[in-house]
Amino acid sequence: MWYVYILRCADGTFYTGIARDLSRRIDEHNSSNRLGASYTRGRRPVTLVYREEVASRSLALRREHEIKAMGRQEKVALVAAGVTR
């Protein structure tokens, strides 16, 4: 199982990614200077605000791309709806 997730950074921006082990990945974003994404390093702490379960890595990458192409208001609506697939 793969996860597509959205994090809210301390500055209010969103970060979207994929992971197999979601809790480990969030810990990396919050504490690791080597393993966390460079975008989130300067915007800690980050909080998980949305996640979707998908069956494969390729589907996760596709969905991540769709979410990253959304505007901020669309992402806010997605997070507010709390829809989990």
Side-chain angles (χ1 to χ4, degrees), residues 1-3 20 52-60:
M1 190 62 57
W2 283 83
Y3 294 93
R20 287 196 97 169
E52 287 182 24
E53 290 183 10
V54 292
S56 68
R57 184 173 190 267
S58 63
L59 290 174

Side-chain angles (χ1 to χ4, degrees), residues 12 14 25 37 43 53-57 60 64 70 75 81 85:
F14 290 123
R25 188 65 182 133
R43 295 169 170 85
E53 290 183 10
V54 292
S56 68
R57 184 173 190 267
E64 177 189 29
M70 293 178 179
K75 291 177 188 177
R85 292 183 185 182

Side-chain angles (χ1 to χ4, degrees), residues 28-75:
E28 289 172 354
H29 281 297
N30 275 318
S31 61
S32 177
N33 285 330
R34 193 171 47 87
L35 299 174
S38 60
Y39 183 84
T40 60
R41 273 185 223 140
R43 295 169 170 85
R44 293 177 183 158
V46 299
T47 306
L48 179 67
V49 293
Y50 180 81
R51 75 169 186 230
E52 287 182 24
E53 290 183 10
V54 292
S56 68
R57 184 173 190 267
S58 63
L59 290 174
L61 287 169
R62 235 180 264 150
R63 182 62 176 149
E64 177 189 29
H65 180 75
E66 289 174 4
I67 292 172
K68 285 184 173 185
M70 293 178 179
R72 179 166 177 82
Q73 292 307 314
E74 290 174 292
K75 291 177 188 177

